[in-house]
Amino acid sequence: MILSVAGIIIGVVAIVAVIAILFAMSYVKAGPDTAIMVSGAGKKKILIGRAGIRIPFLQRTDKLSLKAFQVDIKTEEAIPTKEFININVDGVANLKVSSDPELLAKAFESILNMEQVLQGNMREIVGTVEIKELVRDRQGVANKVKENVVPDMAKLGIEVVNFNIQSFSDDNKVIENLGIDNISQISKDAAIARAN
């Protein structure tokens, strides 16, 4: 009798332990700045700022931060400008994953392609501007890139917070020579002003 009661207690404890382990494996909680997608077994659900249950071994979880993040975009090869001057561009984009559930599902699938989309849009805009415009109005060119990239990134479920061009250079010293030309023009104008 004592042995059977001990066996029952051990059995109950084992069952409770298995249930607790299965619950711990099933319980999923997403913070307010995190999206968790539970997928598998024919279903997809996205959790933001709440808890949920997944079926262990049949469903998987993927996490995605909803905080703004920065992506450095450097051209892998030179981009020809409107005057066919090849330049290298280094830009940075501040991005944020959309919290719209429909777009968020797309973001989970496409987060790895965003850098290529950003580079492609930067190449497209830089190819339409003259080198002088790029030098004089860097932020204006960056704004054009942002306007161009926003619809493409929205399709991926990613919002563009801002975009900046940090630097650009060319191997033929065209940008440097523009600076020298400007300096000599300023010096010439100053000499004329002094003479007058």
Side-chain angles (χ1 to χ4, degrees):
M1 184 85 172
I2 295 174
L3 185 59
S4 64
V5 170
I8 291 172
I9 291 172
I10 291 172
V12 168
V13 168
I15 290 171
V16 169
V18 168
I19 290 171
I21 290 170
L22 284 174
F23 180 75
M25 291 173 64
S26 302
Y27 184 75
V28 179
K29 184 169 184 184
D33 59 354
T34 304
I36 296 178
M37 181 165 67
V38 178
S39 60
K43 291 183 177 181
K44 276 187 188 177
K45 64 181 170 184
I46 296 175
L47 307 171
I48 302 172
R50 61 187 176 99
I53 300 290
R54 74 176 181 101
I55 303 168
F57 312 112
L58 294 178
Q59 291 183 315
R60 62 176 273 169
T61 58
D62 295 295
K63 289 184 180 182
L64 200 56
S65 174
L66 298 179
K67 294 179 181 175
F69 59 97
Q70 202 171 66
V71 177
D72 192 28
I73 302 116
K74 291 184 180 179
T75 53
E76 294 172 6
E77 53 192 48
I79 303 171
T81 63
K82 191 174 182 179
E83 317 98 307
F84 305 104
I85 297 168
N86 290 333
I87 62 165
N88 300 303
V89 183
D90 180 11
V92 66
N94 290 311
L95 307 173
K96 182 183 176 308
V97 174
S98 174
S99 55
D100 178 320
E102 191 175 307
L103 296 175
L104 190 53
K106 292 178 183 178
F108 271 102
E109 297 167 8
S110 61
I111 198 81
L112 299 176
N113 298 327
M114 66 182 172
E115 196 168 330
Q116 295 166 341
V117 172
L118 287 163
Q119 274 188 6
N121 278 274
M122 189 165 66
R123 292 180 71 83
E124 184 179 330
I125 295 301
V126 169
T128 64
V129 298
E130 294 181 358
I131 192 102
K132 286 183 179 180
E133 181 184 353
L134 192 58
V135 171
R136 287 185 185 134
D137 189 16
R138 184 185 306 195
Q139 193 54 50
V141 175
N143 288 341
K144 286 181 184 178
V145 174
K146 181 183 174 187
E147 288 170 18
N148 201 50
V149 78
V150 163
D152 292 342
M153 295 301 281
K155 290 176 190 170
L156 301 177
I158 298 169
E159 298 170 7
V160 181
V161 178
N162 66 25
F163 182 85
N164 293 305
I165 295 176
Q166 293 182 314
S167 65
F168 42 87
S169 61
D170 70 291
D171 296 333
N172 298 319
K173 309 270 187 219
V174 174
I175 297 170
E176 187 179 315
N177 290 337
L178 280 173
I180 292 169
D181 185 42
N182 282 345
I183 291 169
S184 64
Q185 184 62 45
I186 291 167
S187 296
K188 190 195 299 186
D189 291 346
I192 292 168
R194 272 195 298 271
N196 288 338

